[in-house]
Amino acid sequence: MKKTALTLAFLFLAGPALAQATGDLTQQHFDALDRDGNGTISKAEYDAFMGEAFAKMDRNGNGTLSPQETTGILTVEQFAVVDANSDGRITREEFMTQVSQDFALGDRNRDGSLN
């Protein structure tokens, strides 16, 4: 996936104009995710933020994301990757599975946090 969930996270915070295809976070974005202010983003902090992002994107409140709800956030190709069962909807479970995979990729030293 070219835009990781990290990119999705700060797209959600700041809008598509600030997206960086590398998934690098600005200090402002990092600070928003680092809820306890300890200088690292734990898996729990990341999951909580991304769960909230899912809820905000789910504009109709039906528990799934349609392509229309992710326009400007995910490309068609990215949507297809997250939509693991290819039913044209992203469930919270599918979304959080991708989020977990993206977190693991970002956790380069495997200490359970992003820093």
Side-chain angles (χ1 to χ4, degrees):
M1 214 163 137
K2 289 182 184 174
K3 289 183 185 172
T4 66
L6 287 174
T7 302
L8 178 61
F10 71 81
L11 277 170
F12 196 79
L13 283 169
L18 295 180
Q20 300 173 17
T22 64
D24 293 337
L25 295 175
T26 67
Q27 189 63 48
Q28 179 183 0
H29 298 128
F30 187 93
D31 292 345
L33 290 164
D34 179 19
R35 294 181 173 187
D36 64 10
N38 70 349
T40 64
I41 301 167
S42 69
K43 179 81 163 70
E45 287 171 318
Y46 192 70
D47 285 350
F49 181 90
M50 295 309 291
E52 292 166 13
F54 180 92
K56 289 178 183 177
M57 287 186 291
D58 182 15
R59 292 187 298 267
N60 64 7
N62 70 349
T64 65
L65 301 177
S66 67
Q68 295 77 21
E69 289 171 313
T70 63
T71 299
I73 299 170
L74 298 176
T75 66
V76 172
E77 295 81 9
Q78 292 164 340
F79 187 95
V81 168
V82 180
D83 180 16
N85 66 358
S86 301
D87 68 353
R89 315 243 2 120
I90 296 173
T91 64
R92 182 178 179 83
E93 181 180 344
E94 288 170 325
F95 183 80
M96 295 308 291
T97 295
Q98 185 65 50
V99 164
S100 291
Q101 291 171 0
D102 292 340
F103 185 92
L105 288 174
D107 182 13
R108 292 186 179 104
N109 66 0
R110 304 293 182 239
D111 69 351
S113 64
L114 305 176
N115 39 18

